[in-house]
Amino acid sequence: MSQLTGFTPWPEQDAQRYRELGYWAGETLGAMLQRKAGEHPDRIAIVCGKRRWSYAELDAKADQLAAGFARLGIGAQDRVVVQLPNVAEFFSVCFGLFRLGALPVFALPAHRRAEVSHFCRFADAKAYVIADLDGGFDYRTLAREVQAEVPALRHVVVAGEAAEFTALADLHDTPIELAGPSAGEVAFLQLSGGSTGLPKLIPRTHDDYLYSVRASADICGLDQDAVYLCALPVAHNFPLSSPGTLGVLHAGGRIVLARRPSPDEVFPLIGTEGVTITALVPPLAMVWLESARQRRPELKTLKLLQVGGAKFGAEVACRVLPELGCRLQQVFGMAEGLVNYTRPEDSDELLHHTQGRAISPHDEVRVVDDEDRDLPDGELGHLLTRGPYTIRGYYLADEHNARAFTADGYYRTGDLVRRLPSGHLTVEGRAKDQINRGGDKVAAEEVENHLLAHPAVHDAALVAMPDAYLGERSCAFIVTRGAPLRPVELMRFLRERGVAQYKIPDRIEFVTEFPKTGVGKVNKRALRERIAELIAAAD
Ligand code: OOB
C-alpha cells in the first residue's frame, strides 16, 4: 500500500486496534458497491428524474468510467475535482474514480472561480468534472475561467452538453483490469468548513469512511426497504455518509435524488417514490414544517427526518413529530470525522435538547477548558475528539495541523459543547472564527482576505449576526481608507472575484475603527454584540 503524500496516518497501534475490532473491514468503496451489485443486481439503486439505475447498472457504469478516466491518463492517487449537482452521474463518476484509486475532491455546486481554482491548484487536479447547466448557471463558463487560472488542469469532463470539453457520456469505455486501491488508502478529499484564509482538504480513507457509514446505517436502522431522499448537496458529508446515500447503498436500499430541496419539488417525490428517510439543515426543516400544514398526506411514508449541520433549537425540534408525522433525529457531525446522533430510544428531552452522542464506543470525546484541561460533565467547554473515523491531519497542511490537532492527535473541533453523563452533547457555540449560515460554513478570514483586496478597504472583520431563518448571517465591518464606498460596490467586487454567493456578506457596516481586545486584537465579540443590538433596535 502506498499512501498519499500529505496524508497523516493514524498511529499503527490505533490502526491495528480498529482493524481488530472489525471497524476497518478492509473493503474499498468500489468493492462494497460490487458486492451489493452481486447480491441484488436488479434492485433499483438510484432514482434521478425519469432515470432509474439498478445496482448492476451503476456498477457497470463505474467500471466503464474507470476505464474512460484511465484513458484520459488519470491514475491511482490523481486528484479530480468533482462539482456536480444532485444527479445520478455523481455516483458513476465517484465509484469510477474509486475503482481507479483516483481521488475525487468534492466541491459544492455553490462554489465559484475563487474556490474551484484553489481546489484545482492546491490539489494539483488532473481533471474537473461538472454538469453543463444547473439552476440557470453554466458550469462550462466557470470551467473556462478555472482553466485560464490553472493551466495545469488538463481535462474538463461534462455531464451533458460538453461544448469544447470531454463529454462524460463518451468516457464509458470497455472495462479494463485495474489493480485498484487498498482499503487503508485515501479514497477522496472532503472540504473543511474552515476558519482560516483558504479552505482545507480532508483526506478520508476507504476503511475509516466505510466504518462510519456502516455504523451510521445501523444506528438509523437502514435496510433494503430504505428509500432515502437526497435533497441536500449530494457531495456534502451529511447526505453522503451520515448514513446518507452511501449508507443506503450499503444497506441495499434506494436513493432518490432531488435537484432542489423545496417542498414543491420534493413533497410529490416523497409521495410517488415512497421515501422513508431524509436529511435537512434547520432552515429547510422550518420551511417543510410550514408547508406541511396543508400537505401532510404527501409525507405519509416518511419515517425519519434527520436534521443537522447547524443547531436545531428545541422549540422547533419538538414540532417535527406532531406536525410532519415522522420521527426526528438530530445529527451533529463534521467532515473531519466525528458524527453524533440522537438514538431511537432517546427520551424527548434528549431528542429535543441535545445534538446526540458519538457513533462509536471508540470515539474519544473530550470537553476541555482554554488550557486543554478536562471539564466535568455539564460544563461548557471546547470539544476535542479522536477515533476510528476522525482524521489526524488535513491534506498538505503541516503548519495548520499543529494548531488544529493536539500533540496526541485530538482534533480541535472549534465547537463549544456540554456533555451529559449519557455522552449526549449540546452544541452551545463556537470558538472557531466561522459563521454557520444555516449549515453553510463561512470562514471569516477567507472572506476578510477578499475584502482586503479592495483598494478602498483598510481593514475588514466578518462576524455572525442572529437571523430567525438561517440561525446566523454574516456582517462585514469595514474601515475604509477614507474614500466613500457603498455596500453594493463591495458585494459586486466579491462576486467579480469569483466568491461563492453564500460567502458574500449579508450586511456591511462602515466604522472608523474596530474595538480591540486587551492584547490589541480585533474584538469580534464586541462587533457581534453591536450588530445584534442594531438588529434588535430595528425590530
Ligand atoms: C456537517 O459538517 P461540516 O463539516 O459542514 O460542518 C461541521 C460543523 C461542526 O463543527 C459544527 O460547528 C457545525 O458544523 N454543526 C452543528 C451541527 N452539525 C454540524 N452545530 C450545531 N448543531 C448541529 N447539529 O455539518 C455535518 C457532517 C456530517 C453530518 C452532519 C453535519
Side-chain angles (χ1 to χ4, degrees):
M1 180 175 86
S2 74
Q3 207 41 283
L4 178 71
T5 309
F7 165 73
T8 311
W10 282 261
E12 187 45 40
Q13 208 177 321
D14 295 293
Q16 202 178 331
R17 184 159 43 105
Y18 299 145
R19 280 190 290 263
E20 280 165 12
L21 286 162
Y23 290 177
W24 292 3
E27 185 174 56
T28 62
L29 286 152
M32 184 274 279
L33 175 64
Q34 196 168 30
R35 182 166 55 80
K36 290 288 153 186
E39 286 169 18
H40 40 68
D42 301 327
R43 288 186 69 90
I44 298 297
I46 301 176
V47 177
C48 176
K50 291 198 172 60
R51 294 184 292 166
R52 305 171 95 77
W53 288 1
S54 68
Y55 277 80
E57 279 173 278
L58 173 60
D59 184 56
K61 286 180 200 295
D63 279 339
Q64 292 161 4
L65 286 180
F69 280 117
R71 168 162 58 86
L72 292 186
I74 292 160
Q77 298 192 351
D78 284 341
R79 275 78 57 201
V80 174
V81 173
V82 175
Q83 185 183 34
L84 288 171
N86 290 8
V87 291
E89 287 85 351
F90 173 84
F91 295 94
S92 52
V93 165
C94 288
F95 279 99
L97 294 170
F98 295 154
R99 295 249 162 106
L100 200 52
L103 315 182
V105 179
F106 291 128
L108 295 172
H111 287 137
R112 292 294 177 259
R113 190 181 77 241
E115 291 89 12
V116 177
S117 296
H118 167 65
F119 305 143
C120 289
R121 196 179 298 120
F122 186 79
D124 193 16
K126 278 209 177 148
Y128 171 37
V129 183
I130 53 173
D132 48 5
L133 294 160
D134 185 51
F137 182 74
D138 193 332
Y139 284 88
R140 294 161 300 192
T141 309
L142 174 58
R144 287 178 197 118
E145 295 170 5
V146 170
Q147 260 194 329
E149 283 198 9
V150 191
L153 178 67
R154 259 188 259 153
H155 303 282
V156 173
V157 176
V158 185
E161 290 296 323
E164 73 270 36
F165 302 121
T166 305
L168 182 69
D170 295 340
L171 281 187
H172 292 79
D173 287 6
T174 307
I176 52 172
E177 203 58 49
L178 290 164
S182 56
E185 287 178 46
V186 173
F188 56 83
L189 297 158
Q190 267 286 9
L191 304 183
S192 149
S195 54
T196 58
L198 289 167
K200 298 284 176 289
L201 299 181
I202 298 170
R204 301 289 302 259
T205 66
H206 296 269
D207 263 339
D208 92 72
Y209 211 61
L210 265 178
Y211 166 60
S212 78
V213 165
R214 286 194 313 270
S216 297
D218 260 4
I219 289 169
C220 298
L222 294 192
D223 59 20
Q224 290 208 346
D225 298 326
V227 182
Y228 178 89
L229 172 76
C230 181
L232 294 176
V234 61
H236 187 269
N237 201 59
F238 184 14
L240 188 60
S241 69
S242 305
T245 55
L246 292 178
V248 171
L249 293 178
H250 154 79
R254 181 176 298 189
I255 297 164
V256 177
L257 293 167
R259 288 297 270 262
R260 308 273 165 264
S262 64
D264 283 345
E265 181 113 350
V266 297
F267 281 21
L269 208 49
I270 294 175
T272 52
E273 295 296 335
V275 168
T276 61
I277 168 173
T278 191
L280 297 177
V281 289
L284 281 174
M286 298 208 283
V287 172
W288 280 35
L289 279 164
E290 285 314 309
S291 295
R293 287 179 200 276
Q294 287 90 37
R295 311 178 54 171
R296 188 164 155 183
E298 289 171 271
L299 304 179
K300 69 174 186 301
T301 56
L302 192 63
K303 291 192 201 126
L304 186 65
L305 174 66
Q306 302 182 287
V307 182
K311 174 82 174 247
F312 196 45
E315 329 70 58
V316 200
C318 68
R319 292 171 48 197
V320 170
L321 181 62
E323 295 181 33
L324 295 180
C326 61
R327 277 192 296 124
L328 166 71
Q329 179 180 57
Q330 297 222 31
V331 187
F332 162 41
M334 50 207 75
E336 286 82 356
L338 182 71
V339 181
N340 302 274
Y341 296 101
T342 55
R343 304 297 208 269
E345 66 274 16
D346 285 347
S347 65
D348 281 355
E349 175 69 18
L350 289 174
L351 179 62
H352 299 153
H353 291 271
T354 79
Q355 280 62 57
R357 62 181 171 85
I359 289 179
S360 173
H362 287 264
D363 278 318
E364 299 172 78
V365 170
R366 292 174 61 197
V367 181
V368 302
D369 67 11
D370 289 342
E371 272 76 51
D372 284 355
R373 287 175 301 220
D374 287 284
L375 292 168
D377 286 341
E379 296 222 4
L380 186 66
H382 304 276
L383 171 65
L384 310 184
T385 186
R386 64 180 187 189
Y389 60 97
T390 296
I391 56 162
R392 294 300 183 109
Y394 291 102
Y395 176 57
L396 289 174
D398 287 345
E399 207 177 303
H400 180 69
N401 287 339
R403 276 173 279 130
F405 296 82
T406 66
D408 53 355
Y410 282 86
Y411 167 55
R412 297 182 187 278
T413 65
D415 292 313
L416 296 173
V417 304
R418 281 180 218 279
R419 177 171 47 190
L420 296 174
S422 61
H424 286 74
L425 302 173
T426 306
V427 185
E428 303 217 348
R430 213 174 308 123
K432 56 189 165 192
D433 201 1
Q434 183 186 82
I435 293 109
N436 190 333
R437 206 172 168 279
D440 285 333
K441 315 302 183 315
V442 181
E445 191 186 305
E446 183 185 348
V447 177
E448 288 160 5
N449 286 342
H450 284 297
L451 288 164
L452 285 168
H454 191 286
V457 172
H458 171 68
D459 210 350
L462 194 79
V463 298
M465 55 183 185
D467 182 78
Y469 173 55
L470 291 181
E472 297 175 7
R473 286 183 198 262
S474 65
C475 174
F477 282 90
I478 302 287
V479 180
T480 65
R481 292 190 188 280
L485 192 60
R486 287 180 306 142
V488 283
E489 283 174 60
L490 263 184
M491 292 184 189
R492 187 177 341 115
F493 175 75
L494 294 185
R495 229 167 273 126
E496 280 165 4
R497 283 178 71 82
V499 177
Q501 179 64 34
Y502 71 89
K503 296 181 186 171
I504 310 254
D506 293 287
R507 179 166 173 159
I508 293 179
E509 290 287 318
F510 293 101
V511 291
T512 48
E513 59 178 358
F514 291 145
K516 295 284 164 60
T517 65
V519 290
K521 289 205 291 187
V522 177
N523 187 343
K524 287 204 164 176
R525 182 201 295 252
L527 290 176
R528 275 193 296 271
E529 283 168 7
R530 190 184 301 175
I531 190 65
E533 280 164 18
L534 279 174
I535 291 172
D539 284 347

